[in-house]
Amino acid sequence: MSNILKKDAFILPDGVIYLDGNSLGPMPKAVSARVQSMLTDEWGEMLIRGWNGAGWMDQPSRVGDQVARIIGAPQGTVVMGDTLSLKVFQALAAAIKMVPDRRVILSDTGNFPSDLYMAEGLVGLLEQGYELRTVDPEDVLGAVDNTVAVVMLTQVDYRTGRMHDIKAITQAVQSQGAVMLWDLAHSAGAVEVDLAGSKCEFAIGCTYKYLNGGPGAPAFIYVRGDLADTVQPALSGWLGHRKPFDFEMKYKAGAGIERMRVGTPPVIQLTALEVAMELWEDVDMAQLRAASVELQEQFIAQVERDVPSLTLASPRDSAQRGSQVSFRFHEGYAAMQAVIDRGVIGDFRAPDIMRFGFTPMYLDSGDISAAVAIIADVMNNDLWDVDKYKVRSKVT
Ligand SMILES: *Cc1c(COP(=O)(O)O)cnc(C)c1O
């Protein structure tokens, strides 16, 4: 697995074991110099000529192709832009138009709130009798019937790491005549995804988590190739127009996936992401997944052996789990702050989840043992039971 572990390619502060790459990936070393050169040599020297001369205008599709490779999507089917919340809205708006006689958007209670909020906003805006229906993750298959227009799910649950079977659910959804939209926020760069094989219509995801694109890195959207020339982009911005520089009065959707572009791309962020994506070029996702499972299994076994106060919240079967492991503890927030204070960085999700992400590109088995030793010290000696660890910050 020599092309999986690339610790030297990342900036990882001394004394830190980083188990939060599922929330914000660390910075690849190559990013700084390349972004600096983009600023100085491109923006600084080329000024507006950079759009053509430095390839800024094509960057959303160029980086989209880099992302496509690791989610099993053909080249030319993924484009970058905006934030994931906006991509939820964009994909969902296009998806419901494909099933005009139905009014139910089905999701699950394990979905990330922003996805549900965006759906709620769209339903409210349309005022056409749409309904957002949420069921427990285990009940999704049973809830798909011929009233459902679109099923919108996040493959990996942000709290517990529980993972949906993309292929099986997509098949069931399409057999009922509904459209499938997958959110791959916690999948891209974490687990093996075969979008083309799944035949799902839409997929979206972010790039600042496992893909290490940096805070605020743009999201991606995938539209199945045979649909890309007919889907209706509700966010009809000028850069998704067929000929943006003709400045026509009427919107005409662009060719293929290009129509999912909206406005001016964030070139500085895309440059950081483009460099980060170069680390994925020789990565075999099956090998990366195997390495991730190995680290997770080691972590679970050692925590359960050494830290009796923590209760596993993630599925025990690794096949049902993404690339994170969560444990429950009634004072989980304070416990996580105490652990972070000692150099093991994970995060907390209300009400009682301590979450740890596994990223074999920069974590090895020695890191896991060292992290568990610190967690055990904090938990077994009640080192978390200190006032300063109980004050909640804005970001948990
Ligand atoms: C991380 C995450 C988001 C975040 O959306 P942004 O618009 O990028 O802030 C949305 N949905 C899911 C499922 C996520 O995991």
Side-chain angles (χ1 to χ4, degrees), residues 22-23 82-88 111-115 154 156 158 183-186 206 208-209 217 219 355:
N22 52 309
S23 215
D82 318 300
T83 73
L84 179 50
S85 301
L86 285 167
K87 286 325 198 195
V88 171
N111 207 342
F112 190 74
S114 198
D115 294 38
T154 298
V156 177
Y158 72 103
D183 187 330
L184 303 177
H186 295 275
C206 50
Y208 47 80
K209 293 172 180 160
R355 189 170 72 153

Side-chain angles (χ1 to χ4, degrees), residues 3 15 21 28 60 75 100 114 120 139 157 167 175 194 200 220 222 251 272 290 304 361 368 387-388 395:
N3 58 344
Q75 299 289 285
S114 198
E120 229 181 89
D139 299 335
D157 186 302
K167 207 164 198 164
S175 75
D194 175 17
C200 75
F220 64 83
Y222 159 87
Y251 180 79
E304 292 194 326
M361 257 198 199
I368 303 308
D387 285 348
K388 68 170 176 179
V395 176

Side-chain angles (χ1 to χ4, degrees), residues 10 53 69 93 133-134 148 174 232 237 250 307 327 343 349 354 375:
F10 292 89
R69 209 187 64 75
R133 192 178 290 167
T134 48
V148 173
Q174 292 176 340
Q232 298 178 36
K250 290 281 286 176
V307 196
F327 282 92
R349 286 294 174 266
M354 297 173 72
I375 295 168

